[in-house]
Amino acid sequence: MFLSSIDAPILVCQLHRNLEIAKTGDVTITPDLLTSLSEATSRHFSLIIIGLTTKRISLRNDIIELCRCLNTHPLTKNTSVLVLVELSHRNMAVRLADAGVRFVKVVHPGEPIDPEYLLRLVHLDDPSVNINRILARLCPFIHYRPIDDQCELTTCKAYRNRMVLGGSRLHDVCETDTHVHCKYFIKPRVDS
């Protein structure tokens, strides 16, 4: 049964034009959100992959809405949705989970995408793509404030948003399981 499911069709919503996708088997690639929704509701897919590998903050709400539509529409609500992201972003992960997304994979910029490999990860319910596992790794005190459509200021809410997060602190502490040992996580200073 598992081997036959690998031959099942996969839909990839490719918002980033330079994303390299291994097009083997029955893989349909769409260039925008509306075409993806149309294609997803026109036939059955075993997996829908949405490539959120773009830095445009303004697209996030549209992607969340697409995920919500896919997870509530009668023709697609039983189809797994996997969202590809280039960076761990707690607010996006929370919003994706609220929209019904169960699978998220962090990919490196320019990394080729193999839809059949991703389908196997989803079918095996691999913890590396489970959104709850990703959320558990990200500190709940990470705070994002948009500066413009492609840039955000990341601060620590546990330190009254006075500490800017970046570099090794953000990647080695706040975005890993070790955030539970951080002195600001243990004893947050949220009061003024």
Side-chain angles (χ1 to χ4, degrees):
M1 181 164 134
F2 178 72
L3 290 176
S4 65
S5 67
I6 291 177
D7 294 332
I10 301 170
L11 176 65
V12 179
C13 177
Q14 179 184 6
L15 300 175
H16 192 280
R17 303 290 185 254
N18 297 330
L19 194 61
E20 183 180 331
I21 299 172
K23 194 168 188 314
T24 58
D26 191 2
V27 177
T28 303
I29 301 172
T30 59
D32 58 60
L33 300 173
L34 192 55
T35 307
S36 297
L37 182 61
S38 174
E39 192 69 32
T41 56
S42 67
R43 66 180 207 164
H44 172 73
F45 290 95
S46 56
L47 177 64
I48 299 172
I49 301 170
I50 301 171
L52 177 57
T53 54
T54 177
K55 302 273 186 193
R56 289 188 39 215
I57 295 170
S58 60
L59 276 178
R60 291 180 186 166
N61 290 335
D62 297 337
I63 291 169
I64 297 293
E65 190 56 35
L66 173 64
C67 293
R68 191 175 321 283
C69 289
L70 291 171
N71 285 308
T72 57
H73 194 284
L75 297 175
T76 57
K77 67 181 180 183
N78 295 323
T79 304
S80 297
V81 175
L82 180 134
V83 178
L84 303 174
V85 295
E86 285 183 346
L87 53 101
S88 297
H89 193 287
R90 180 158 179 84
N91 287 359
M92 256 323 269
V94 167
R95 292 180 67 204
L96 287 168
D98 289 344
V101 174
R102 291 182 46 221
F103 304 103
V104 172
K105 177 153 177 58
V106 179
V107 296
H108 299 290
E111 179 180 333
I113 305 305
D114 184 351
E116 289 183 3
Y117 170 72
L118 295 173
L119 178 64
R120 281 192 291 277
L121 291 178
V122 168
H123 276 280
L124 295 171
D125 202 13
D126 190 290
S128 69
V129 294
N130 185 302
I131 196 164
N132 292 326
R133 173 69 184 116
I134 292 168
L135 277 169
R137 294 187 63 165
L138 298 170
C139 178
F141 291 111
I142 299 173
H143 180 258
Y144 306 92
R145 182 179 196 154
I147 296 172
D148 59 29
D149 196 36
Q150 297 193 12
C151 188
E152 290 179 308
L153 180 65
T154 308
T155 59
C156 177
K157 275 195 300 189
Y159 196 69
R160 300 182 194 124
N161 290 321
R162 294 179 181 165
M163 180 180 5
V164 175
L165 300 173
S168 62
R169 172 108 189 147
L170 177 64
H171 301 302
D172 297 341
V173 178
C174 305
E175 295 178 342
T176 66
D177 294 324
T178 60
H179 76 267
V180 297
H181 303 292
C182 171
K183 65 182 181 180
Y184 304 111
F185 177 81
I186 294 169
K187 190 173 179 182
R189 299 188 213 174
V190 290
D191 298 328
S192 295

